[in-house]
């Protein structure tokens, strides 16, 4: 799990004068400021010597990492694809990569009013994944940032509880076109023994902030997207009790079928992972279950925007990706849901058996799983001989070795990291092409979260660049 704290104000792009000479002066000053902040970032983690010259940095501390749900046995072999592998000479040192927002702004968002249904899986993303369509890339990155905001909300308010009016939940949304309408909480079905709960009350909290519901509230953005979008974003595992649920990998019956489209799949045949279903269906002390919260809020919003074109997009990372599939299955199964219910998941584990996967598809929910070939979590729970568990929907397969910035031996935490996932999506062209040369996403957050997995050559070159800019005045 990833995402950096909000950048200091000094990192924002300054206003530029109208004359060419002033623009050049401001640009040089801006670069020095940005690289100075980068130097401070490395220095705070022991990466730069006091002399200011390039040095072999100590691995920076990692933040907000999501470890694998389970440890696989040594005989497990990671899935491999036919990907272009990055080479050292492909390292890009463009100043835009050191800024929270590139000098020429974020990737432009084109009008997708006529194509949004295809981008959200109406025809199974046929012809859009490899090579990756630019509009789909922007959509996936944008929904990854919604998940990042769910992590930010929890980490800044880990003790938040439902109905706490004294401390309303704050979600650090990056997209100003959306407005948060409701926080979401998940409750574990297990708890600590009473004596242990008294010793560690924070760790024993059964109900935790897991995500939120947001709606596009900008008329201009609604026109650009061709519909009003309702987003449900969910973080990955963060609490001890959530970890306990993750390990409950037995299959249990899924919820009863409620629509004719899914009637061909018997409810007793469709099964899901026990721990995931517990977190989705368990009510807290005086608070509804995650399932009830989502259904109630989505119904309220659908009624509010009745008569408009509306989409429901569910997105999550790791555990949140599993919960996203359960949510999409339930929402698509209700007769009053809009036709388009889409899941964009990052590093998600398997959720249920083949009968459950068939039920999700029969109900019309579209699932796009973004998977790093070297991430072990999407291969969990294991399915010996192809039995018990099944993958759902379509897969966008990435490879962390294709990034010119990440070490080819990046560890398991990096391969599962949300920011690393967003970084890989931003640079992906196709499985046979190198990393996108004009990728715009800043690597500051990648350096903060996964500094020890960034190539040492890249860090050294970045410090050389800083020294040259300083010397040039």
């Amino acid at each position: 799990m990833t995402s950096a704290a909000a950048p200091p104000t000094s990192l924002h792009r300054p206003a530029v004068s109208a004359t060419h000479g002033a623009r050049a002066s401001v640009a040089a000053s801006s670069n020095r400021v940005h690289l100075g902040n980068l130097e401070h970032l490395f220095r705070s983690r022991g990466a730069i010597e006091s002399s200011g010259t390039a040095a072999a940095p100590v691995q920076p501390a990692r933040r907000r990492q999501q470890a694998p749900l389970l440890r696989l046995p040594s005989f497990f072999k990671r899935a491999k694809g036919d990907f272009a592998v990055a080479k050292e000479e492909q390292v890009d040192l463009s100043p835009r990569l050191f800024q929270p927002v590139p000098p020429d702004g974020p990737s432009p968002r084109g009008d997708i009013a006529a194509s949004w249904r295809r981008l959200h899986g109406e025809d199974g993303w046929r012809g859009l994944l490899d090579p990756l369509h630019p509009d789909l890339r922007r959509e996936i990155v944008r929904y990854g940032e919604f998940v990042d905001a769910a992590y930010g909300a929890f980490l800044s308010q880990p003790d938040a509880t439902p109905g706490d009016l004294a401390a309303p939940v704050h979600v650090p949304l990056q997209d100003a076109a959306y407005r948060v309408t409701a926080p979401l909480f998940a409750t574990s079905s297990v708890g600590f023994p009473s004596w242990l709960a008294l010793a560690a009350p924070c760790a024993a909290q059964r109900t935790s902030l897991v995500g939120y519901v947001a709606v596009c509230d900008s008329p201009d953005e609604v026109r650009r997207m061709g519909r009003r979008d309702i987003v449900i974003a969910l973080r990955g595992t963060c609490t001890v009790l959530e970890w306990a649920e993750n390990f409950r990998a037995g299959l249990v019956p899924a919820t009863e079928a409620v629509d004719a489209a899914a009637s061909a799949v018997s409810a007793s045949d469709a099964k899901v992972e026990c721990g995931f279903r517990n977190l989705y269906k368990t009510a807290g002390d005086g608070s509804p279950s995650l399932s009830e919260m989502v259904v109630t809020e989505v119904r309220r919003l659908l009624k509010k925007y009745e008569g408009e074109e509306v989409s429901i997009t569910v997105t999550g990372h790791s555990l949140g990706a599993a919960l996203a599939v359960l949510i999409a299955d339930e929402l698509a199964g209700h007769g009053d849901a809009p036709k388009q219910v889409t899941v964009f998941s990052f590093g998600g584990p398997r959720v249920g058996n083949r009968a459950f996967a068939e039920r999700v598809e029969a109900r019309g929910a579209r699932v796009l799983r973004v998977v790093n070939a070297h991430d072990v979590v999407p291969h969990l729970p294991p399915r010996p001989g192809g039995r018990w568990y099944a993958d759902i929907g379509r897969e966008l397969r990435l490879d962390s070795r294709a990034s010119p910035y990440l070490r080819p031996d990046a560890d398991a935490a990096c391969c599962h990291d949300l920011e690393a996932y967003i970084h890989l999506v931003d640079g992906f062209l196709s499985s046979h092409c190198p990393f996108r040369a004009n990728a715009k996403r800043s690597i500051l957050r990648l350096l903060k979260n996964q500094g020890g997995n960034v190539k040492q050559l890249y860090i050294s070159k970045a410090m050389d660049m800083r020294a040259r800019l300083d010397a040039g005045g």
Side-chain angles (χ1 to χ4, degrees):
M1 44 175 139
T2 67
S3 169
T9 55
S10 61
L11 284 176
H12 290 300
R13 182 163 57 102
V16 180
S17 171
T19 67
H20 177 75
R23 282 198 301 267
S25 174
V26 171
S29 174
S30 176
N31 285 336
R32 286 195 297 272
V33 170
H34 296 318
L35 291 171
N37 279 279
L38 181 63
E39 176 183 3
H40 176 72
L41 167 66
F42 287 137
R43 189 186 301 278
S44 67
R45 288 160 172 77
I48 300 178
E49 294 180 346
S50 58
S51 62
T53 59
V58 177
Q59 290 189 355
R62 301 189 184 105
R63 301 171 59 249
R64 294 170 68 168
Q65 294 175 351
Q66 178 84 10
L69 297 177
L70 295 172
R71 294 290 182 185
L72 291 185
S74 59
F75 61 80
F76 177 84
K77 296 181 179 179
R78 290 174 178 170
K80 296 180 180 180
D82 184 15
F83 288 89
V85 179
K87 298 179 180 179
E88 297 293 352
E89 58 267 23
Q90 291 176 314
V91 170
D92 186 354
L93 298 175
S94 302
R96 71 178 187 277
L97 297 174
F98 299 97
Q99 305 178 42
V101 178
D104 49 353
S107 295
R109 296 179 182 176
D111 190 320
I112 60 172
S115 61
W116 75 267
R117 290 186 177 277
R118 281 198 69 215
L119 297 175
H120 282 239
E122 184 178 50
D123 60 354
W125 292 280
R126 186 169 61 249
L128 300 179
L129 298 178
D130 195 2
L132 182 61
H133 193 283
D135 287 337
L136 180 57
R137 177 190 298 112
R138 295 185 190 100
E139 287 289 279
I140 297 172
V141 168
R142 188 162 62 97
Y143 288 113
E145 291 172 345
F146 281 117
V147 180
D148 185 67
Y151 276 119
F154 171 80
L155 293 175
S156 63
Q157 305 149 99
D159 300 328
T161 56
D164 187 356
L165 300 179
V169 173
H170 169 68
V171 178
L173 282 184
Q174 299 182 44
D175 195 326
Y178 284 74
R179 172 178 56 86
V180 174
T181 64
L184 297 175
F185 295 82
T187 300
S188 171
S189 66
V190 297
F192 281 112
S194 57
W195 60 270
L196 187 57
L198 291 174
C202 292
Q205 184 173 317
R206 291 177 57 222
T207 302
S208 298
L209 179 66
V210 74
Y212 60 91
V213 179
V215 64
C216 182
D217 213 20
S218 164
D220 290 341
E221 188 70 356
V222 169
R223 282 191 295 271
R224 183 192 73 83
M225 297 191 301
R227 87 285 184 191
R228 189 177 298 276
D229 188 32
I230 297 173
V231 173
I232 303 163
L234 303 141
R235 61 164 175 81
T237 309
C238 288
T239 73
V240 174
L241 294 179
E242 288 167 358
W243 279 108
E245 294 285 17
N246 287 339
F247 283 99
R248 304 182 72 178
L251 287 168
V252 297
T255 54
E256 294 292 328
V258 295
D259 66 333
S263 60
V265 180
S266 169
S268 61
D269 292 336
K271 296 181 178 181
V272 296
E273 201 249 28
C274 176
F276 299 155
R277 189 175 187 279
N278 287 342
L279 286 168
Y280 185 52
K281 287 293 186 179
T282 302
D285 296 332
S287 68
S289 66
L290 174 60
S291 169
E292 293 174 288
M293 290 181 184
V294 169
V295 171
T296 299
E297 182 61 14
V298 168
R299 282 179 170 170
R300 185 187 73 82
L301 291 174
L302 290 176
K303 183 176 181 180
K304 178 178 180 179
Y305 299 109
E306 188 174 4
E308 295 188 28
E309 185 81 25
V310 177
S311 65
I312 296 178
T313 309
V314 196
T315 184
H317 172 242
S318 196
L319 168 63
L323 296 174
V325 172
L326 296 179
I327 289 172
D329 173 62
E330 181 166 18
L331 292 179
H334 286 279
D336 55 355
K339 292 182 180 179
Q340 200 80 7
V341 178
T342 304
V343 173
F344 290 103
S345 75
F346 301 84
R350 297 185 178 111
V351 181
N353 62 2
R354 172 56 56 191
F356 174 70
E358 292 172 354
R359 190 178 86 173
V360 172
E361 294 173 1
R363 288 181 168 181
R366 308 302 180 194
V367 180
L368 180 60
R369 295 177 294 107
V370 184
V371 173
N372 179 359
H374 298 279
D375 182 3
V376 298
V377 173
H379 302 284
L380 299 174
R383 49 174 189 176
R387 297 173 296 170
W388 304 330
Y389 281 89
D391 293 320
I392 297 176
R394 291 292 304 277
E395 178 179 279
L396 173 60
R397 198 166 190 77
L398 310 172
D399 191 327
S400 49
R401 298 174 305 169
S403 169
Y405 311 106
L406 294 174
R407 292 162 53 105
D409 60 346
D411 61 28
C414 177
C415 291
H416 188 56
D417 184 83
L418 176 61
E419 181 60 34
Y421 262 97
I422 300 174
H423 165 73
L424 293 177
V425 172
D426 186 53
F428 181 75
L429 287 171
S430 82
S431 57
H432 302 288
C433 293
F435 205 77
R436 190 164 66 105
N438 60 343
K440 287 189 172 185
R441 188 169 183 82
S442 170
I443 64 166
L444 281 180
R445 285 183 290 186
L446 189 65
L447 287 166
K448 284 185 177 181
N449 300 332
Q450 295 297 333
N453 288 294
V454 174
K455 291 179 180 177
Q456 298 298 326
L457 172 63
Y458 177 79
I459 297 177
S460 298
K461 291 288 186 181
M463 294 303 97
D464 289 343
M465 183 177 180
R466 176 202 56 78
R468 287 197 302 271
L469 286 172
D470 285 346

